[in-house]
Amino acid sequence: MITIKNRASIAKMEEAGAILSNLFVELQPLVQAGVTTANIDRWLEEQIKQRGLVSRMKGYMGYRHVSCISVNNEVVHGVPSDRVLHKGDMLTVDVCVSFKGYCADMARVFFIGTVPEHVKKFVEVAEQSLFAGIAACVPGNRLGDVSAAIQAIIENAGFGIVRDFAGHGIGKQMHEDPEVLNYGLSGQGPILREGMAFAIEPMITMGKDAVYIAEDDWTVCTEDGSLAAHVEDTIVITSNGPKNITRNRSDR
Ligand code: MF3
Ligand code: CO
């Protein structure tokens, strides 16, 4: 069942999203060569507490961190560790928190130093596919319209779509119905209505789309070792269309 959020619930989600997206702006200067992914996670944990947020990742199915940090060929669910970041790495930091009981879930890509132009273009395709999916989140559309919009951008650019993971409804819970697939057929699926909220999160690869789960039982990696990119926003469907609650004004 896809829950419909009332104004009060949406206001709380918006607060969660605003605090979380500001946190990502402040995170930016910390993500540098020489720091470990555990350093980033510890900083996030401290900030989440200070800002009155609750991590929805820590404790989820036994997960012990407040973020997932996926580097290079890691797609999603990378576990923070003593891994040191080096120039030329790219990584996604994914954080889900709640505020007054309502969740916001977001992920952004960071580059360590400079990366080749084709890597920047690759990440831009992931972002464009996210924006295309979000743009389709208008009342009266169908869920398949969102999935198809994401798929079209990724496939037109010639990149792989990871199919084993998907976006999701969000609200009081981090994961609610429906699954928001990153591929699908327009005109199919449930009709979108005002008050629905989705976390949309395309996961793309430079090579083949097959993935495997590493020995830590969490980290999802590309089978062929190719680079992966993952970005995520939480949106609410309003009568005026989608409202992105995790995109800071200074964050495009
Ligand atoms: N935020 C992730 C998502 O978008 C959830 C990661 S799983 C966790 O679905 F265990 F780390 F929380
Ligand atoms: Co998510």
Side-chain angles (χ1 to χ4, degrees):
M1 194 198 60
I2 307 178
T3 60
I4 301 291
K5 283 84 188 170
N6 63 24
R7 288 177 90 92
S9 308
I10 291 168
K12 288 171 197 156
M13 292 184 71
E14 286 183 52
E15 280 187 275
I19 303 170
L20 181 58
S21 58
N22 282 326
L23 181 49
F24 267 81
V25 173
E26 290 183 32
L27 172 64
Q28 180 79 47
L30 264 88
V31 182
Q32 289 186 23
V35 306
T36 67
T37 55
N39 291 150
I40 295 170
D41 187 73
R42 273 195 288 272
W43 183 85
L44 284 167
E45 181 159 17
E46 186 57 40
Q47 291 295 319
I48 284 168
K49 273 190 205 126
Q50 274 185 26
R51 291 166 203 238
L53 301 168
V54 175
S55 170
R56 300 303 289 260
M57 290 187 167
K58 195 169 180 170
Y60 178 81
M61 292 174 71
Y63 194 69
R64 292 163 51 181
H65 310 272
V66 300
S67 61
C68 295
I69 304 181
S70 307
V71 186
N72 297 336
N73 59 307
E74 298 170 357
V75 185
V76 285
H77 303 169
V79 180
S81 72
D82 292 337
R83 177 182 188 153
V84 178
L85 296 171
H86 295 291
K87 280 203 176 110
D89 283 341
M90 63 171 276
L91 60 147
T92 293
V93 179
D94 184 355
V95 179
C96 182
V97 294
S98 59
F99 186 70
K100 298 178 183 165
Y102 284 85
C103 295
D105 192 358
M106 74 181 278
R108 292 287 183 273
V109 170
F110 297 85
F111 300 125
I112 308 296
T114 50
V115 298
E117 208 51 43
H118 73 279
V119 174
K120 286 187 199 158
K121 289 261 162 61
F122 171 61
V123 173
E124 276 165 23
V125 169
E127 287 169 345
Q128 290 309 318
S129 73
L130 171 60
F131 298 151
I134 291 171
C137 289
V138 294
N141 265 5
R142 287 180 183 269
L143 187 59
D145 299 334
V146 177
S147 301
I150 297 168
Q151 178 175 14
I153 300 282
I154 301 166
E155 287 186 343
N156 286 342
F159 296 125
I161 301 174
V162 174
R163 288 160 196 266
D164 296 359
F165 298 88
H168 47 93
I170 182 166
K172 277 188 181 161
Q173 304 303 323
M174 170 168 69
H175 292 150
E176 298 186 358
D177 285 343
E179 251 193 324
V180 182
L181 298 177
N182 294 314
Y183 60 94
L185 297 175
S186 60
Q188 295 202 354
I191 295 175
L192 305 184
R193 304 197 187 280
E194 200 180 330
M196 291 181 177
F198 300 149
I200 302 181
E201 47 182 325
M203 291 155 249
I204 76 172
T205 63
M206 238 186 222
K208 298 215 169 77
D209 57 24
V211 295
Y212 70 94
I213 296 177
E215 279 175 11
D216 61 18
D217 279 342
W218 282 100
T219 311
V220 177
C221 304
T222 58
E223 205 159 272
D224 62 7
S226 67
L227 280 185
H230 166 229
V231 285
E232 176 171 24
D233 275 316
T234 298
I235 65 98
V236 178
I237 300 177
T238 75
S239 55
N240 297 321
K243 176 153 202 202
N244 193 333
I245 67 163
T246 48
R247 208 152 272 264
N248 194 286
R249 263 179 287 276
S250 64
D251 183 27
R252 280 195 303 153

